[in-house]
Amino acid sequence: MRSIPLRWRIIASLIGLALGTTLILALLARHFLALSLQTNVNLEMGSALTSALALAKENYDAKKRQLQDIGQLLSAPPHRDLNALHAAFADAGLDNLTLRVSPLEQIDTDLSQGPAVSKVENDQLQLVLALPDSQRALTALLSLEALISVKNAVHTYKHIEMAEGDLRTAFLLAFLVAAAGVVLLASVIGVRIGFGITRPLNALLKGTREMGRDNLQYRIPKGRNDEIGLLIESFNQMAQDLVENRRKRLEAEQIAAWREIARRLAHEIKNPLTPIQLAVQQMRDKYSGNDPAYQQFVTNCTEIVTEEVENLRSLVQEFANFARMPSLSLSPSDLNECVHNVIRLYPDAHIHLDLEENPPALELDTEQMRRVLINLIENSLDASGKNGQIEIRTRTSDDTATLSVIDSGPGVPLKDRVRIFQPYVSTKESGMGLGLAVVHNIIEDHGGHISVKDASMGGAQFDLQLPIPDRAIAQPEEQR
C-alpha cells in the first residue's frame, strides 16, 4: 500500500496542530466564560441584589420623609441662620447635604403648600422651603449615590442574565470564525512548507536516478540558501567529483595501457639493436677488397645504420622512461628555487621571470619538477624559435600555487588542447609525443592539474596548479 506523500502529511500535520491548539484554547475560554457567568448570574446573587434594591428604596422613602418633616420644622419660626440650619439637619442625621439660601423670586418651585421635596438631576433629592420672617428660600440637596449604585447593579445583572444565551452564541460563532481562519492559515503555510521541502527532494530524487543512468553531467538547479540548498550544492559537487574521478580513472587506465605498450616496445626494439649495429660494423671491418667505391659505399651504409640505431636507442629510452615512472619523493620545497635551478641550464634563452616573493612551501619531488620544467621550456623554445620570448610566472591563491610557462610561439590549436597531454600526441614533426604526457602524469601525481590556453604574447600558456598543503587541509575544515 502506497503511503501518503510527504507534502500532504506536512500539510495535514500543520492543520491538525492548528485545530488542536484552537480547540484547546476554545475549551479553556468556554470554561472560564461559564465559570464567570456562573459566578455573576445565580439565584443568590439575584436575590441579594433584589433585597439590596428594596432596602435602597426604603432608605430613599425614609430620606424623603425626613426631608419633609425637617422642612415643616424649619419653615416655622424662629428664624435661623445658615449655621443653625446645618446643625438642624445634622441633628436629624442628614449631614451629607448641600445648603443654599437664595431670594424667593429666584425660586421656581411652588411653596404655597409648604416645603416641597422632589428628585432632581444628578440623582439628588431637593428640599425647598421659605425661611420664616424672611424673603428668602432654603434649598437643600441630598445625594442618592448609594441608591443609584444598587439600582445600576440590578440593571447590569438583569442585562447579563438576559444576554447569557447571546454570549454563548457569540462565543461559538467567534470560535468557528477563528478556527476557519487558523485552518486556512495553516493550509497556506503547510502548502508552502510542504512544497518547499518536497520539490527540492524530488529534484534530488531525479538527480540520483540520473546518476544511476550514468548521466554524470546532470546538475540540480540552485536557488536556495538554506540547508536544502547546501544539500543540492553537495549533490552537484558530488556529481562533479564523480566526473573528475572517472576522468582520472580513465586517464590512469590509458596511461597504464600506454606504459605497458611502451615497456613491450622498448624491450622488443632494444634487444635486436646491438646485434644489428655489430653486424654492420663487422661487415665494414671484414671487407678486404680493393674497390674504393664499394668501400665508401659500405662505410656510408654502416654510418647510416649506426645513426639510425642510435636514434632508435633514444626512442627506446623515451619508451623506457615513460614505462617506469618513478614514485614521488615529496619534501617541502620552494617552487621559485626549482625554477631558478632549471633556468641556469638555458643561459642564452630569452626567458623572463615573474616570480611571486616569499611563496609558501610546497610538497614537491624536486627531480620530477625539474623534469617538468625542462620539458615545458624545451617545447617553448621549439615553438618560439631562436629569438622567441618565454615567461615563467608563479602566483598563489587561497589553497593553490600556479606555475605558468608562456611563450611567443604559434600556440596550441583549440581542438588539441585536451588530447595534447595524451601519450603519442604531438604537434611537432619530430618526437614521440611523450613529453607532455609525462608532465601531465607528474603534476597529477602531485595532486595538481595542468591546462593550456592562449597566451597574451600570442603563443601558448601552460598553467600548472599545485596544492598548498596547510591551506588545502584547512579549507574543508573552515567550510564545515
Side-chain angles (χ1 to χ4, degrees), residues 2-14 190-191 193-202 228:
R2 187 177 180 182
S3 62
I4 301 175
L6 176 61
R7 66 180 65 175
W8 298 117
R9 280 186 281 166
I10 293 175
I11 295 171
S13 300
L14 286 176
V191 169
I193 295 177
F195 281 84
I197 293 176
T198 56
R199 187 178 291 113
L201 290 181
N202 289 334
I228 295 180

Side-chain angles (χ1 to χ4, degrees), residues 27-242:
L27 291 176
L28 290 174
R30 181 175 179 274
H31 170 71
F32 287 115
L33 177 63
L35 184 63
S36 176
L37 291 174
Q38 184 179 1
T39 302
N40 294 307
V41 182
N42 54 65
L43 294 177
E44 292 81 2
M45 180 67 71
S47 177
L49 289 174
T50 302
S51 299
L53 183 59
L55 291 175
K57 287 182 177 180
E58 290 179 3
N59 181 266
Y60 170 79
D61 292 337
K63 295 289 186 181
K64 187 173 182 180
R65 286 193 299 271
Q66 277 185 299
L67 285 176
Q68 289 174 343
D69 292 341
I70 197 169
Q72 293 292 337
L73 177 64
L74 295 178
S75 61
H79 171 71
R80 298 174 178 83
D81 60 13
L82 191 57
N83 291 331
L85 292 173
H86 274 291
F89 279 107
D91 292 340
L94 301 173
D95 52 355
N96 190 20
L97 287 172
T98 301
L99 301 181
R100 184 174 68 248
V101 177
S102 55
L104 282 174
E105 58 268 17
Q106 296 180 1
I107 302 301
D108 296 333
T109 305
D110 182 13
L111 300 178
S112 60
Q113 301 298 324
V117 179
S118 61
K119 186 178 179 182
V120 296
E121 297 178 353
N122 299 326
D123 300 324
Q124 293 178 324
L125 276 178
Q126 175 181 271
L127 168 64
V128 182
L129 58 92
L131 294 175
D133 303 330
S134 173
Q135 295 298 319
R136 296 179 300 168
L138 173 67
T139 301
L141 296 174
L142 177 62
S143 175
L144 300 175
E145 292 181 358
L147 173 63
I148 299 304
S149 298
V150 174
K151 187 177 180 180
N152 290 338
V154 173
H155 287 167
T156 301
Y157 174 80
K158 295 294 184 183
H159 177 74
I160 294 175
E161 190 175 25
M162 290 186 295
E164 180 180 0
D166 295 337
L167 286 174
R168 296 184 185 275
T169 303
F171 172 77
L172 178 61
L173 181 62
F175 167 72
L176 292 176
V177 172
V182 169
V183 169
L184 179 61
L185 181 61
S187 300
V188 172
I189 296 176
V191 169
R192 183 173 179 83
I193 295 177
F195 281 84
I197 293 176
T198 56
R199 187 178 291 113
L201 290 181
N202 289 334
L204 285 170
L205 178 60
K206 182 180 178 181
T208 56
R209 289 173 177 171
E210 292 294 330
M211 292 293 118
R213 297 189 185 101
D214 203 28
N215 182 12
L216 300 183
Q217 301 302 324
Y218 182 82
R219 299 292 183 272
I220 300 175
K222 298 180 181 179
R224 299 178 66 107
N225 295 321
D226 53 8
E227 289 78 2
I228 295 180
L230 292 176
L231 182 60
I232 292 175
E233 184 178 350
S234 298
F235 177 87
N236 291 337
Q237 184 60 46
M238 178 194 68
Q240 183 62 35
D241 292 341
L242 288 175

